[in-house]
Amino acid sequence: MVCEPLRKSTEFHFEQEHMDNIEQIERRLWEAADQLRANSKLTSTEYALPILGLIFLRHAYNRYLIVEKEIKKNLPSRGGKTRPLTKDDFVQRSALYLQEEAQFKYLLELPSGEDIARRIIHAMTLIESDYTGLQDILPREYHIFDNELLSKMLRIFDDEALRNGNGDLFGRIYEYFLMKFAMAGAQDSGEFFTPISLVQTIVNVIEPDHGTVLDPACGSGGMFVQTSHFLNQIGKATQEAVTFYGQEKTALTIRLAKMNLAVHGLEGRILEGNTFYEDNHELREKADFVMANPPFNVDKVDAEKIKADPRLPFGLPGVNKNKEVSNGNYLWISYFYSYLNETGRAGFVMSSQASSAGNKEAAVREKLIRTGHIDVMIGIRSNFFYTRSVPCELWFFDKSKPEAMTDKVLMLDARNVYRKVTRKIYDFTPEQLKNLTAIIWLYRGRTDRFLGLIKAYLETLVTESMTIEDALKHFIDGHEPLLAQLKVFQKGVQDSGLTESINETSERVAQYKAHGENLVSDIKAFKAEYAEIPGTNARQHQAREDFGSIRAQLKALTRQIDLLFKQTVRGVDIAEKDLDAKADDAWDHRGVNRLRKELDLLRKEAIGQLKRPGYYYRQIDWLQSRFPDARLVDVEGLVKLVDQSELEANDWSLTPGRYAGVAPPVEDEDFNFEETIREIHLELEGLNQEASELAGIIQSNFEGLRI
């Protein structure tokens, strides 16, 4: 189910290998870089920016090569000569133009004895000379490293997987390093890093597609990057559609933000300032969109400095005897509201304490609710943040809500919607994000988008189903050589359990082929029936129901593949362990072992392919079972549309779970043993890592005591 943790479903089983590969790359790069840091005896703060600078250069060069290839395809030529590349060619495609000496390859190929630090600094200078917005932003602290260390770092980031990786992969690597340095204490306990899933959720809800986009606590600029991805998806050029404004209190974080934007081919007007006291962009009542993840529960804000601030239309929250605001959450909330123009939308992350806080904060919240501009509240479970495990909520304002909805607030409790990435880190799958967004569409009356999403799921379901025939054939083709080897060996031995095993295997093969043929026939019939994927609710429901019998066959055939593989392997074990086949000249142990491994890979591929249509079927079922008429209804434990009278009766609380209720238990018919084992391994891996770190600390303490 989409709203169940990974241990209770098989969703994204087929993406897991790809995801694991990315995580392995991330861990390998971090461990290598961190080992070099340890050997250099530098602090994380000293090491962070230069390392991120090298990732910046590698990422920029990858993007440069991709765009260069695209540009050259369309370059005009005269007299057989093609004009040279220009900076404008790259700007138009959201990529950095890199002069030769600023390209990562050039740095890698420097001759022995060359001053690598000087060359890297020169590369940064060349980039800044072409992009004035990066002036004095890129790191130059490379003389603190010796040549050998710099050479090793360059090679680390010349990993083959990174050379062949696309922008999304490198963007993730970049953000992973931001997160790891945050965890290592490089910048205010990670205040500058917001989990991508939460940023994407905010973008999906407020849809920042035009005008002024402001983040007054912009950190590393993740809100702007995800806005650009959103604009690309809807076919708009970022630089033409929006202007990014950011404010951040530390110069280091501003440098990170500008680097992050630049590596994605973006620009933003980011100024230094403490948003509690400064409004350097002067955008009160001028922003089309506000997005932010401010630091939670900040205390000791000087109330005397802000008591007359026009950005506090609802007044100050609680002030203590020292004339300090004891919790800054409602300062942020008020600021975000005040920045919006008359049609603006805002989305931001906030501590879960704020939605039901009492005293003066409750008074501010009541005034805010009475404006009618609070649009949506989304509850998020703990473990979404990399550097803190607390739950949070996403708040959304909309000053252009239809009049009929001004006394309504959509309460969406998404705490049961998550994927477990590691023992301590959760996120949303892409489909979970889409399905949550689909609820927002229904709330806004966009039934067409809701039906469009289900149509897209049906299209993918059909596409994935049509590849099953080949996957089934590949598995059985890989099975036959192994069975043939068993039969050859069987002829030279006396009657034994091997004969019985081979006969049983042959029977299973016949059943497998028959069931596979039936399945493929039904899939083709389904495709013929729905040659044109339906866009109406009734026909989409019918399509899901018609696919139900196919889904049952998919699950049954998945079990058959596992049993057939186990039965064949059992025959190999009987031959080698009971009948000493390795001593027989007719038995090729190495060849059999190779065939066995290949068959296991084919088994996994076939099972993965069989599960893919079922995964998309479950997305459709999740949406249709909760919203059968393609319109918004209250769903216990998930969503409820509440009015101001209900809010008033509940002390003006904005906590989604207080209204949505508790989801009824659902029997899990898609329990997957492999995914459960994977989660156990994640837990064990995390515990082992913690144990290792603790042992290192204990050892260090003993050494310090000289015991």
Side-chain angles (χ1 to χ4, degrees), residues 380-385 388-392 415 424 426:
I380 306 293
R381 63 157 293 133
S382 58
N383 292 95
F384 266 69
F385 287 94
R388 49 195 171 193
S389 61
V390 296
C392 69
R415 289 177 298 171
K424 292 184 176 181
Y426 297 174

Side-chain angles (χ1 to χ4, degrees), residues 12 78 80 97 109 119 156 202 212 307 437 447 622 628 638 641 651:
F12 276 89
R78 290 184 180 179
Y97 170 71
E109 296 176 350
R119 289 295 189 178
I156 286 171
I202 290 173
T212 299
K307 63 183 180 181
T437 306
T447 304
W622 191 87
L638 177 63
L641 187 62
D651 303 319

Side-chain angles (χ1 to χ4, degrees), residues 564-614:
L564 179 54
F565 174 77
K566 291 174 182 176
Q567 182 62 38
T568 306
V569 169
R570 179 171 174 270
V572 172
D573 288 341
I574 290 173
E576 292 196 339
K577 294 177 182 178
D578 297 346
L579 302 175
D580 197 21
K582 295 178 185 178
D584 194 304
D585 292 339
W587 186 263
D588 180 4
H589 172 66
R590 288 187 177 180
V592 167
N593 194 43
R594 175 180 54 79
L595 289 172
R596 180 175 176 168
K597 290 179 179 179
E598 290 175 356
L599 183 60
D600 192 27
L601 289 175
L602 291 170
R603 175 189 68 86
K604 292 176 181 176
E605 290 173 4
I607 288 175
Q609 191 58 53
L610 286 169
K611 288 181 177 179
R612 291 174 189 175

Side-chain angles (χ1 to χ4, degrees), residues 100-170:
E100 182 182 1
E101 293 181 29
Q103 295 176 15
F104 198 84
K105 181 181 179 183
Y106 177 86
L107 298 173
L108 269 175
E109 296 176 350
L110 288 171
S112 177
E114 185 69 50
D115 187 342
I116 299 177
R118 183 176 65 85
R119 289 295 189 178
I120 294 175
I121 294 169
H122 181 58
M124 299 297 188
T125 303
L126 289 176
I127 294 173
E128 289 186 351
S129 69
D130 284 323
Y131 296 90
T132 55
L134 288 175
Q135 193 68 42
D136 299 324
I137 294 298
L138 300 182
R140 287 178 167 77
E141 303 87 348
Y142 290 98
H143 281 306
I144 60 176
F145 303 96
D146 61 40
N147 248 20
E148 182 181 357
L149 191 60
L150 280 175
S151 179
K152 286 181 179 179
M153 285 194 291
L154 287 171
R155 291 197 299 273
I156 286 171
F157 295 114
D158 191 44
D159 185 280
E160 182 180 0
L162 298 186
R163 288 199 302 270
N164 299 324
N166 59 28
D168 290 339
L169 169 63
F170 230 110

Side-chain angles (χ1 to χ4, degrees), residues 72-87:
K72 286 182 175 180
K73 289 179 182 177
N74 302 307
L75 276 180
S77 59
R78 290 184 180 179
K81 291 185 177 181
T82 303
R83 75 162 174 80
L85 300 174
T86 67
K87 174 186 169 183

Side-chain angles (χ1 to χ4, degrees), residues 470-515:
D470 286 342
L472 295 179
K473 184 177 184 302
H474 291 157
F475 173 72
I476 206 65
D477 286 349
H479 172 273
E480 288 173 354
L482 199 55
L483 183 58
Q485 176 69 64
L486 286 171
K487 288 180 177 179
V488 169
F489 176 73
Q490 177 197 16
K491 294 178 181 179
V493 299
Q494 293 181 352
D495 190 48
S496 64
L498 179 59
T499 300
E500 181 182 347
S501 177
I502 290 174
N503 290 339
E504 186 175 343
T505 302
S506 298
E507 290 175 9
R508 289 189 183 277
V509 168
Q511 292 173 1
Y512 169 84
K513 288 181 177 179
H515 292 166

Side-chain angles (χ1 to χ4, degrees), residues 269-337:
R269 304 175 188 181
I270 301 176
L271 300 178
E272 184 175 349
N274 186 333
T275 303
F276 283 129
Y277 307 115
E278 300 167 90
D279 179 20
N280 291 330
H281 289 295
E282 298 182 347
L283 286 176
R284 188 173 68 87
E285 299 182 350
K286 296 177 183 177
D288 294 286
F289 300 95
V290 174
M291 313 162 66
N293 172 31
F296 298 167
N297 305 319
V298 175
D299 59 3
K300 298 183 179 180
V301 179
D302 191 334
E304 292 298 302
K305 287 184 179 180
I306 62 174
K307 63 183 180 181
D309 195 320
R311 297 175 300 160
L312 297 173
F314 312 112
L316 284 170
V319 177
N320 61 28
K321 62 182 180 181
N322 296 321
K323 296 184 178 181
E324 296 170 336
V325 176
S326 54
N327 191 310
N329 290 340
Y330 273 86
L331 296 178
W332 286 114
I333 292 169
S334 297
Y335 292 160
F336 300 151
Y337 179 86

